[in-house]
Amino acid sequence: MIDTAEGYAGGKSELEIGRVFKKLGYRRTDWIISTKVSGEHLLRRWEVSAGTIRHQLRSQSNHYYLKGKVRTTLASAGSKYLHTDQIAQVEIVRAFNHVINTGKAFYWATSEWSARQIEEAFHIADELKLIPPIADQCQYNAFHRQRFEVEYKPLYQKYRYGTTIFSALASGVLTGKYNNGIPDDSRFANNADFFKNTVDSLTKEEGLEKIRKVKELTALAEKELGCTVSQLALAWVAKNPNTSTIILGATKPQQLLENLKALEVLPKITGEIYQKINDILANDPKQD
């Protein structure tokens, strides 16, 4: 599976995927390609007012833009169809129904929508006899739990709503690589402007507390499970029955191979180990 978006590298990500598929002779049917459409990207790309963007996104006629964007993505990636993964607003349920019915996507989903917005999408789909979303691409990790574990809980129960997890390692904080500062050849160092707020937060009380917890989790992982803290963190996310799939944001082949070893750790996350992890985290989300 490849997750991309029109906004990644100014659209070059989609072009690169198409180039690589063609060069390596990959069969399209062997891969899932998901993409995202973002109102924020529209704002940056065409430099129009936020009010105009909001108006366009709220307009039912905006589905013509989305259908056009899907055609552009298909051309960029050199593909006849894709697995459209995310969109921006509830009002375009009709548009993605059309996209699916015309064979340009198999499913559509949401990304970081509130439970209320997702519920509304289901109501619209039901009322108009259209296809509802199937999953949300949401942030979930040991330090970010509220939405996934509490807010979305009714959606899991009512709709069997799926999830595609991003930032399972909290932008690398849960790898332990930032326990003693920012290494030169790290994501935070190489993208200093983008991660400036995150890096600054690690020097404050809350950030230092996270580092302390990562060190405790590291000791638990190494002594009791024989794995790295990264593998423990990924296995912890995968252990949740409402996790459908996890996006691995590896920047090097070796990182990907190491991350995949989390599958070997997964069966070791017993009830006792899970409780030990929870005791270290001490951040059970508040129930609504």
Side-chain angles (χ1 to χ4, degrees), residues 6 36-39 41-42 45-46 56-57 60-72 92 95:
E6 64 165 351
K36 295 175 283 292
V37 179
S38 166
H41 174 58
L42 287 176
R45 187 169 181 178
W46 283 290
Q56 290 177 345
L57 289 174
Q60 288 190 358
S61 65
N62 189 53
H63 72 271
Y64 291 111
Y65 161 76
L66 289 168
K67 287 188 283 187
K69 173 55 205 157
V70 168
R71 288 194 293 271
T72 302
I92 48 75

Side-chain angles (χ1 to χ4, degrees), residues 16 30 55 62 85 107 109 118 205 228 234 264 269:
E16 187 66 8
D30 290 341
H55 173 75
N62 189 53
D85 191 34
Y107 308 99
I118 296 170
E205 183 178 355
T228 66
L234 290 170
E264 300 172 9
I269 307 294

Side-chain angles (χ1 to χ4, degrees), residues 1 6 37 46 51 56 75 104 106 125 128 152 156 178 184 187 192 194 205 213 218 224 230 252 282:
M1 175 179 174
E6 64 165 351
V37 179
W46 283 290
Q56 290 177 345
K104 296 180 178 66
F106 291 132
L128 300 179
Y152 282 177
Y156 307 141
Y178 302 115
D184 291 336
R187 185 174 298 181
F194 185 84
E205 183 178 355
K213 292 178 179 180
T218 300
E224 299 199 35
S230 299
K252 301 174 183 177

Side-chain angles (χ1 to χ4, degrees), residues 22-240:
K22 184 176 181 179
K23 181 177 180 180
L24 299 181
Y26 287 158
R27 293 191 306 173
R28 177 61 188 86
T29 51
D30 290 341
W31 292 80
I32 294 174
I33 300 177
S34 66
T35 192
K36 295 175 283 292
V37 179
S38 166
E40 290 297 322
H41 174 58
L42 287 176
L43 182 60
R44 292 192 299 271
R45 187 169 181 178
W46 283 290
E47 298 181 353
V48 297
S49 70
T52 300
I53 287 295
R54 286 194 292 269
H55 173 75
Q56 290 177 345
L57 289 174
R58 287 171 180 158
S59 170
Q60 288 190 358
S61 65
N62 189 53
H63 72 271
Y64 291 111
Y65 161 76
L66 289 168
K67 287 188 283 187
K69 173 55 205 157
V70 168
R71 288 194 293 271
T72 302
T73 294
L74 294 175
S76 298
S79 178
K80 293 182 179 179
Y81 62 89
L82 52 81
H83 302 78
T84 308
D85 191 34
Q86 286 90 12
I87 54 173
Q89 296 288 338
V90 170
E91 288 83 352
I92 48 75
V93 174
R94 188 192 301 274
F96 276 89
N97 187 83
H98 174 84
V99 168
I100 293 170
N101 284 340
T102 54
K104 296 180 178 66
F106 291 132
Y107 308 99
W108 73 276
T110 57
S111 182
E112 290 284 70
W113 279 18
S114 69
R116 181 195 61 77
Q117 289 174 310
I118 296 170
E119 184 74 46
E120 185 177 351
F122 271 92
H123 286 311
I124 291 171
D126 182 63
E127 182 178 352
L128 300 179
K129 308 302 180 186
L130 302 174
I131 300 169
I134 63 165
D136 191 272
Q137 181 172 308
C138 53
Q139 180 178 179
Y140 181 50
N141 58 61
F143 295 138
H144 191 94
R145 303 174 62 179
Q146 185 71 29
R147 168 164 282 177
F148 180 90
E149 293 187 20
V150 178
E151 183 182 344
Y152 282 177
K153 188 174 180 179
L155 301 176
Y156 307 141
Q157 298 170 338
K158 187 174 182 179
Y159 301 116
R160 298 184 65 187
Y161 209 56
T163 56
T164 296
I165 306 304
F166 73 88
S167 197
L169 295 175
S171 298
V173 174
L174 282 163
T175 66
K177 70 172 68 175
Y178 302 115
N179 285 358
N180 301 301
I182 311 301
D184 291 336
D185 187 26
S186 66
R187 185 174 298 181
F188 286 179
N190 294 332
N191 301 275
D193 291 340
F194 185 84
F195 287 109
K196 184 180 185 305
N197 291 337
T198 303
V199 172
D200 289 345
S201 72
L202 294 179
T203 64
K204 296 179 171 61
E205 183 178 355
E206 183 178 353
L208 293 173
E209 179 64 9
K210 287 182 178 180
I211 296 299
R212 184 191 65 78
K213 292 178 179 180
V214 172
K215 290 179 178 179
E216 287 194 36
L217 290 172
T218 300
L220 174 66
E222 293 175 352
K223 294 177 181 179
E224 299 199 35
L225 302 177
C227 68
T228 66
V229 68
S230 299
Q231 293 159 357
L232 171 64
L234 290 170
W236 181 87
V237 170
K239 188 71 173 180
N240 191 299

